[in-house]
Amino acid sequence: MKTGTLFASFASACLAALSLGGAGVAGAADIEALKEQYKRPTHIPFPEAAPYSPQLATLGKMMFFDPRLSGAKNMTCASCHNPSFGYEAPVETSVGAANTPLRRQAPTILNVAWIAPFFWDGRAATLEEQAAGPVTAEVEMNGKFDVIVRDLEEVDDYRRWFDALFPGEGITKENILTAIATYERTVVSGWAPFDRWLDGDENAISEAAKRGFVVFNGKARCAECHGGWNLTDNKFHDIGTPTEDLGRAEVDDSDVKNKHAFKTPGLRNIEYRGPYMHNGSMWDLDTVLAHYESGGLQRPSLSDKMKPLQLNDQDRQDLLAFMRTLTAEQSKNSLPILPN
């Protein structure tokens, strides 16, 4: 049985005895067991081929914020993955190098160390492969790595730092991508009220949010796709949003369920990350919830998990209260000083 199925089965078993009005002794024990499934990991997984070092992550952060990686020297990775907006962009879809809206919203880079494969359609197997895509896409940053390497080699500090971190190799396309990916793996969502509640602080979240946690894992069935500490199953589902975008089917058309299927996004810092969905078509969480309640557009590719929900006003209020506890109370981000 797959991990996501195990989680869903465990959640169903834990919540079978719960009522929305509160939990008795058995219910409290079930809640505590379920909370264990959402606890944060204690370390970031880095690949053996690119182990973490603070120097490499710092260099990657410079690359992430340096416009010299774009063709016109006017865009950076942060242009679409803005730290102020949960490492997304606060528009339906980001605007690319040709001043033209892109067809999909920029997915967050929060917690990317745990979310392979990458892109809404999963076309990149590694974070290094993903990092190359926006840099070189004509409609996005429109950069060319032969030019990027040449430009960076003209910067004394970059040349010295790459030589130190990649002895005998220096500045290459592969090393630039390794640096960017290393930095991106360090972008982890901060401690949220939900985390403090999981650690035993009963005052960290409201009673409404606690009830919302039960709804999230129970009658709203959110946890069937949004389980685990990062609240995603890392899988692809057609959730019935109006779209002509084929999604996962552009990469793998062997299964009808891949049509209009997009990767489940994590829900950390969700309040900062609107608008929502692969095309930014839903501007607030109330609209998102209403969509799930409707069951989505009925079509052959619609996920089997998508069924109309029977929620009342209290359920909705509690569910939204819970989701707001997933946003970190403080997020500290500093811009790097780029060398000339």
Side-chain angles (χ1 to χ4, degrees), residues 50-329:
Y52 171 78
S53 76
Q55 295 85 0
L56 184 57
T58 299
L59 183 58
K61 185 174 184 178
M62 292 179 178
M63 297 291 97
F64 191 85
F65 285 93
D66 197 324
R68 281 171 281 210
L69 269 65
S70 65
K73 310 297 187 286
N74 64 340
M75 294 188 69
T76 71
C77 300
S79 297
C80 295
H81 300 284
N82 191 318
S84 297
F85 302 102
Y87 288 89
E88 294 185 10
V91 290
E92 288 186 14
T93 63
S94 296
V95 177
N99 200 30
T100 302
L102 306 177
R103 66 175 181 141
R104 294 174 183 167
Q105 190 196 46
T108 184
I109 67 163
L110 281 171
N111 307 325
V112 289
W114 290 270
I115 65 169
F118 302 93
F119 292 113
W120 283 106
D121 55 18
R123 65 185 181 274
T126 68
L127 192 51
E128 287 79 0
E129 181 183 353
Q130 180 279 327
V135 172
T136 58
E138 291 184 5
V139 295
E140 296 187 50
M141 293 174 66
N142 194 29
K144 295 176 177 58
F145 270 103
D146 57 340
V147 176
I148 294 170
V149 169
R150 185 189 65 211
D151 289 346
L152 296 183
E153 284 179 338
E154 293 178 357
V155 181
D156 291 341
D157 285 337
Y158 275 149
R159 190 172 58 253
R160 184 171 66 254
W161 293 332
F162 271 96
D163 286 344
L165 292 170
F166 301 97
E169 299 177 11
I171 303 175
T172 67
K173 171 185 175 180
E174 291 73 20
N175 293 342
I176 291 169
L177 296 176
T178 295
I180 293 173
T182 300
Y183 162 66
E184 289 184 337
R185 291 185 179 102
T186 70
V187 180
V188 180
S189 55
W191 220 260
F194 179 56
D195 298 302
R196 292 195 287 111
W197 181 59
L198 294 179
D199 283 346
D201 182 357
E202 287 300 318
N203 297 318
I205 67 175
S206 67
E207 293 303 314
K210 294 174 187 178
R211 294 192 302 268
F213 178 68
V214 175
V215 177
F216 185 91
N217 287 278
K219 66 191 294 187
R221 303 196 307 276
C222 307
E224 292 186 13
C225 296
H226 292 284
W229 92 273
N230 195 32
L231 298 111
T232 173
D233 61 2
N234 289 325
K235 296 179 181 178
F236 304 90
H237 305 281
D238 173 11
I239 61 169
T241 54
T243 183
E244 298 298 320
D245 193 327
L246 294 180
R248 180 63 175 168
E250 292 185 1
V251 179
D252 176 7
D253 62 0
S254 63
D255 187 341
V256 67
K257 292 296 185 180
N258 286 345
K259 190 174 183 181
H260 309 307
F262 298 91
K263 189 174 178 182
T264 305
L267 300 183
R268 291 286 179 165
N269 284 16
I270 193 65
E271 279 193 288
Y272 298 154
R273 291 169 42 203
Y276 306 100
M277 304 303 175
H278 73 279
N279 54 4
S281 58
M282 300 184 189
W283 281 89
D284 53 50
L285 293 175
D286 297 88
T287 304
V288 172
L289 181 53
H291 169 77
Y292 280 105
E293 284 193 76
S294 74
L297 290 177
Q298 299 301 304
R299 54 195 179 203
S301 57
L302 184 68
S303 171
D304 296 335
K305 298 179 184 294
M306 287 295 297
K307 297 178 176 63
L309 303 177
Q310 302 298 321
L311 304 180
N312 57 41
D313 287 342
Q314 184 72 66
D315 296 332
R316 296 183 192 96
Q317 294 171 16
D318 292 345
L319 185 55
L320 291 171
F322 164 67
M323 292 183 68
R324 292 186 179 105
T325 71
L326 303 175
T327 296
E329 296 167 305

